[in-house]
Amino acid sequence: MVPPMYRLQPISSHFENFLKNDAGKRQQAKNNWLLVSRRLQKMLLKYASETLGEYSNMRRYFTSLQDLELEKGLIGAEEPSRHCVWFKRTFTDIQHYFEDRKTKEYVDLDPINPQLDPTLTQSLEDLAHDRVHENLLKTCIHEYTIPWCREGVDPTDHSHVVYLDKLCQDVHDTLTASMERQVKRSYRTKDESKYKLFEEVAEHVAFCQERAHSFHGRKDLLHLVKTYVRSNCRAPLVIHGMSGAGKTSLVAKAAKEAHKWFHGTSVAIMARFVGVTGESTNIRLLLRSMCLQLCEIYDRDPEGVPDDYKGLLNDFGHRISNATEAKPLVIIVDSLNQLTDENEARRLLWLPKELPDHVHIILSTLPDEKYDCFKNLKNLYPQIDECFIEVPELPLGDAIMILDHWLNKSNHTLTATQYDVVVAAFKQCPQPLYLKVAFGESMHWHSYTHDGHLKLANSVKKMAVVIFGRMEKIHGEPFVRRALGYITAAKNGITHSEMEDILSLDEVVLNDITTHYRTPLRRCPPIAWIRLRLDLKEYLVERAADNSKPIRWFHTQFQEAAVERYLNARDKAPSYHKVLAEYFIGKWAEIPKPLGGSDAGVKRYVSDQALYFERTCDQLAPGERVYNLRKLTELPFHLIRSQQFEALKSECLCNFEWVLAKLTATSLRAVLDDYYLALEIDAKDTDLKLLSDALQLSCKVLSRDPVQLGSQVIGRLHNIITNDVPTAPQDPLKYPYVHPFFNQAYKASIPTLIPSGTCLTQPGGLLFDLLSGHTEPITAVTTTMDGLCAVTTSKDNTMKVWDLMTGRVTKSIVGVGSETVLVRIAANNKLAVTSEINCLRIWSMMSGACLKTVDDYIDHAIITTAGNGQILVAFFDGTNQMRSWDLADKFKQLQDIQVENNAVHKDRSITVSSNAFGDRIMYAFRSTSSAHVQNARSGKLVHTLQLKDSAAVEALGTTNEYYVLACRYQYMKLHEIFILELFDIRNGNYLRNVRGCTMDSVDEMYINQLGSHAMCISRSEARNTSNIAVWNLETEDHKHLAHHSGASIIGACVDFRFCLTAAADDNAMRIWNLTSSINRPAPKLKHKDGIEDIIPMMENKRYVVAKAMNNGPVTVWNVAKGKCKGSAVRIERGLVDGQDVMLIRNTQVVILTDKGFSNVSEDTQQVFQTVLIYDLRLKKYVSKLSGLYIVPAPSHEYALLDDNRLMGLADNRSHFIIWSLVTGKILYRIRPHFKDRFMLDMSMSKSVQPKRKRNSTAKMTPWERRSESTSAKQRRREGEIEEERQRMLNIHKEKENVVEQYMISGDENVLVASFYAHHLCVFDIPTQTHTHTLENDNSMLLLYTAALTCDGSYLVHANYDEDTKTSYVTLWDCNSGQVRKRIKNEKNVCAIAITDNADRVVFGKENNEIRVWDPFRVSSLQKIKGYPGFDFGVGGKIFLIENGSRAVVFAGDISLWDLDTSTVLAVFTPDMTIQCCNIAMNGKLIVFGLRDSPSVIIMKLMSREIAAINHKGADIFGEASTSGSSENDDKDSFKS
């Protein structure tokens, strides 16, 4: 017989006032309990030792809580010194002050006499010496001795102040060291994104195992799942049933068992349980996670996985198609109904309509109509009822078996009556979830519980309400209500530390708690929350979200019950969200929170909720940040739910640091999701619309490099915000929140290159959507006849069919070839025709099979269709053949005829109309003045459309009324214009034309369905921009729409809603909707000359002078004054004509003009006869020199040595001439003077030795050499001598070469010239002497990639040794003419720079690397890998600043590098072509000019840590009196 057990009851069951709010009654009850507890302790001490005997058995009756904690954390732990520290304080003279009031708080005193309690004192000594000292190292024990004060530890006593400071410092150092060790152990040095994926998968796997372990019964349902997985069904399996029916446990068990159902096959199982992690509820993040895991499963590159929803929707369909027979795929997605509303996730458009081979998908959802999931699944798969499995009620027999199992496992027994109550309640709600909750409730029953108290509610929700009520009774209603309300209101749950802080900010909670607890601080005691959490441990779970483990309700029914009870009924939800928002803002972190009407308030010591934390460990990257994802995720959610829209803008969406943090920590798409959610509330908010548009325009850059946020936003919005000035003082700003956003960007927490004006595409134009799904660049595109679907081919060897309404791939055909250049749709959209280099293929759009291949011809085919898509027509470039096939008659060939050959171009000579009228096809040879209309079926020539001889046909189109010819004409000598020539389609007669503009660039023409408009992609590769040019064929209106960066070369358009464009290297198509703009007036595009060159002034460094392209205006810019950065301080137009040459030095402009035939020479060569000198400061010509003879040359071949000397090349380019700018006469000439190294006399031939060649193919085999006769050997040797003699003679003749290129040192004293030869010449300009010849007989010495020190002492350049076949970077000493240092195997050098003292050389290479070489140090070559997008090419530049410790690199992007730490500090990526780049103010500023903008952009590295530049020099152009700006104004100021 089991002996009876005694169970301790709550204290309040005997002392009813123990928990009362009345302080007097509560204190009396506590005193009564204290007396009883002491009697109980004495009884336990006495009888435990007498009854139990052994110490190990009886110690639990008198062991304190602290003893148990030490036993678990110190004595029972492995290596306790790693995680335990003892701070030991001793009062030296406390034994003399036992009568003091405070003494009992520090030592254990006898309750009656003022002396130490001997038992407790001895226990403490045993604890200290026998346990702590034995288990801890001395380094883990910090000892302090202090004298006793009447108030105990007294912060006013000097010795105690010293002790407290030392204690605080020791605690700080100990905790810091411990945390850093932990961070180092957990620091992830590998791919962060891959680690995050593994963490996500691990959470779902752990949950799956947990639920599978609790699965019992339901073998029939599991068998149905097994049957589906082993079938060839092409639709998903849908498991549905009421909430709590056990769907999740079923699919978890299926996931665990699925590998057993595939015998001998390595099956891949991917499971996602929606709601288990914070990311899994968002369909975009869920799809991206699954796509990344599929890349790992099938060994694919994850770099191609997109971030936007539409791209992921298509990528998911592509990734699952990688499944094979050897490795099939089973995907499980549980609880679809828990997906959030973003991207209409529960419409389930992301599910494929038909599954690929070897793929099975198992889904589960609630059937409730409010979620739409079940209804949408029925609509998606209407004919497959067998793929829908309903989970029925749990059979009673299974329920009893499960209940018995749980009771045995928990070692618990119910009385017969209690057991019957549980079973009877289950019959009312026969669901597994209800059984689990009912079992949990029965655990609170005791054998002595009265039968009248054995009650169970009849649903899970009602049961949850009962549990909530019991918690409120035990822990206090206000405390439980608010705590559970916060869990329910949070987006992704609440962490334990957050809960303690939030409850400490809630006055309702604290007022309730302080009636039971005495707290030294105005904070919620941790034990209060711990007790509640432990009582609810069965119903609260920790789930991964935001790099943490917040707690949430374990089931949606508990969540719904809590919402109804706390967020809707008792409190209003906004009250919870407001407190949570204030907490995540950090509102009360540093300031006291008001209390009881007092403004003074009390400090709560809650987390400040910083946006990020800096990692400072030595082994970690300096300044690496850990972002506060909890704040970034929760704050905007709670601000929206608490209806604080203005705070949402100021704290989040219009707060630069917040946007930067979320952009860096998550993704651009996550940031845009927040903007779109806010715009759903107020679609007309100008601030949010402007910022979201700017971010979307910068999508490509910010996705790759979020740190560029400041430069990208300011580069797009600067002029908009600068011009946002109220008309009247009382008028509001149009963008009130973007102004402070700008100010924050200037003082950002990270260094950013901030431009002085708008230099990127501004928002306000049309925005585009993306069709993403290809993994390699797109090669061709077309649309169906109705324009609602598109077909694309790509280098990834696939052809995809897109539904343009949804952006989804509806068909993917593999194996179409990676070199497809054209694609057309035919036969009522049933066939697709692709053209490769020398092959045509016809594909079935239904089956994806290749029906016919035409590869009999080597020429490239330009294809189109006729006869309503039933005739395929191909024009073969080169042979000028036209061939046609009948697609409706087994692809029978109809025609093979020669067309008239009047081709102008060798390649791409034929252009064909992409649409046809009946059987007629129009074609033309590019750049000719006529087009022809041919009948594709009969082959007869129908019309010849003749134009003026000056016309050049470039593209063709056909409508129901017109033949449309896009023709290029010469316009105003320097320009070209496109005009559409219209011919009558019935008789071929000329009708009229529609004029374009000089900004057009036509390569292919598209006609809309109605035939009312013609369109083309107008691109400028020089500017790296494109737009869509549109002609209205009826009104003859012409406009340019959809201006965007990048040179788009691929396009298609039939419907204005879906105009498609793509650049050469794009994996995605841009979709433009032109319907709202097609009939609106649009401003005419104006041609703007960009900046050709920027010249910093040498005497006044705060100014730069800019030369416009095509001899446009000369502008002067004050780069030091913020108020002057947006506009030039001086503009001079009309200084030069088209053929003049302009040179600039400081404020002096030297113009070489009057080009004509000289009167002083009989030469027929034109020369410059006049020099004009213009002073920019004085705004007038100061000198004119006539009668000169200056041979014309490009402007870069002239140089101003000072204000009075001009240097250029002689007419034969053999030497240099220096003219006086005072008299106009030649001052002197600088000529090379070579000393002959060779005696060409035949008597010296014996001294010439044959050159031994390396790395070259031997002319004789070894056996031929062994059999060679003496005479033959002599003849061979003489031949080699002659060959070497001739080579040396050729090198000697190179001394007669003309000057090819030259460089001048910074101090203008040294000149180095190249002659396209094996030598360079060094000249001293002041003495006009040829000082040295730098020679290398085996290498051509050129100056294309070279740099010269400021004083001309050293020259560094890249060269190639023809003998050793090796590339070098060589450093020459120009004072001695010798090689000082060189490094080999450095090929493809694109740019190079050198410091003034030549101690550092930096060069960039085509493999996107920077090399740092310190030539005077041993082993000093350093390789720095470029960032993604870093691309050195022609025109790249490197500027060394700060004595070579930093470098400004212009390589498409502009970047600033710290060379000592090998890191890039900041990057600016343009979306238009940068024409020129330079540095100013001794490298403190970067200046650049764009190809199509007349403004100079000044860029500076800015952050809150970087001090303002101390600008020196005076304002000399009169701007000081009008600018109103101070000397240290480094930025534009914007209104906050």
Side-chain angles (χ1 to χ4, degrees), residues 45-65:
L45 286 171
K46 178 179 179 181
Y47 294 109
S49 58
E50 294 178 2
T51 306
L52 301 176
E54 293 185 11
Y55 177 79
S56 59
N57 293 331
M58 66 180 182
R59 65 181 300 270
R60 62 188 178 130
Y61 291 101
F62 50 82
T63 300
S64 68
L65 180 61

Side-chain angles (χ1 to χ4, degrees), residues 453-611:
H453 296 160
L454 303 178
K455 295 180 180 179
L456 293 174
N458 60 5
S459 70
V460 175
K461 280 189 179 181
K462 291 180 180 179
M463 196 91 76
V465 172
V466 172
I467 295 171
F468 297 157
R470 187 175 68 250
M471 293 299 105
E472 292 169 6
K473 183 177 180 181
I474 296 172
H475 300 279
E477 188 273 340
F479 175 74
V480 173
R481 169 168 52 89
R482 300 299 289 181
L484 301 189
Y486 290 129
I487 294 174
T488 309
K491 181 179 182 181
N492 288 333
I494 294 285
T495 66
H496 298 304
S497 59
E498 289 169 355
M499 179 61 82
E500 291 181 16
D501 281 352
I502 292 167
L503 292 175
S504 299
L505 293 171
D506 195 314
E507 303 304 334
V508 175
V509 171
L510 292 179
N511 290 337
D512 179 57
I513 284 180
T514 52
T515 62
H516 306 287
Y517 294 93
R518 286 191 305 167
T519 57
L521 302 174
R522 183 72 175 172
R523 277 187 62 84
C524 175
I527 190 63
W529 161 241
I530 291 172
R531 288 175 59 234
L532 175 60
R533 190 186 76 207
L534 291 176
D535 284 349
L536 289 171
K537 64 181 179 180
E538 295 297 326
Y539 312 113
L540 294 174
V541 292
E542 290 185 347
R543 299 298 185 209
D546 308 325
N547 287 347
S548 59
K549 288 291 187 74
I551 54 173
R552 287 180 285 181
W553 294 112
F554 87 116
H555 198 275
T556 54
Q557 292 208 47
F558 269 71
Q559 172 78 16
E560 292 170 0
V563 168
E564 293 173 5
R565 183 176 180 86
Y566 298 123
L567 271 59
N568 295 339
R570 301 198 177 182
D571 291 321
K572 296 299 182 183
S575 68
Y576 291 97
H577 293 297
K578 183 179 180 182
V579 174
L580 288 165
E582 289 181 352
Y583 171 70
F584 284 109
I585 288 173
K587 181 177 181 179
W588 306 114
E590 300 296 334
I591 61 174
K593 185 179 182 185
L595 173 64
S598 171
D599 294 336
V602 179
K603 194 169 183 181
R604 307 304 171 91
Y605 300 97
V606 297
S607 169
D608 61 356
Q609 290 296 324
L611 282 169

Side-chain angles (χ1 to χ4, degrees), residues 32 97 101 142 269 274 320 655 717 1067 1112 1166 1334:
N32 294 337
Y97 301 97
R101 179 175 56 87
H142 300 266
I269 302 170
V274 178
I320 63 175
N655 183 300
L717 306 182
N1067 297 358
Q1166 289 186 325
L1334 314 181

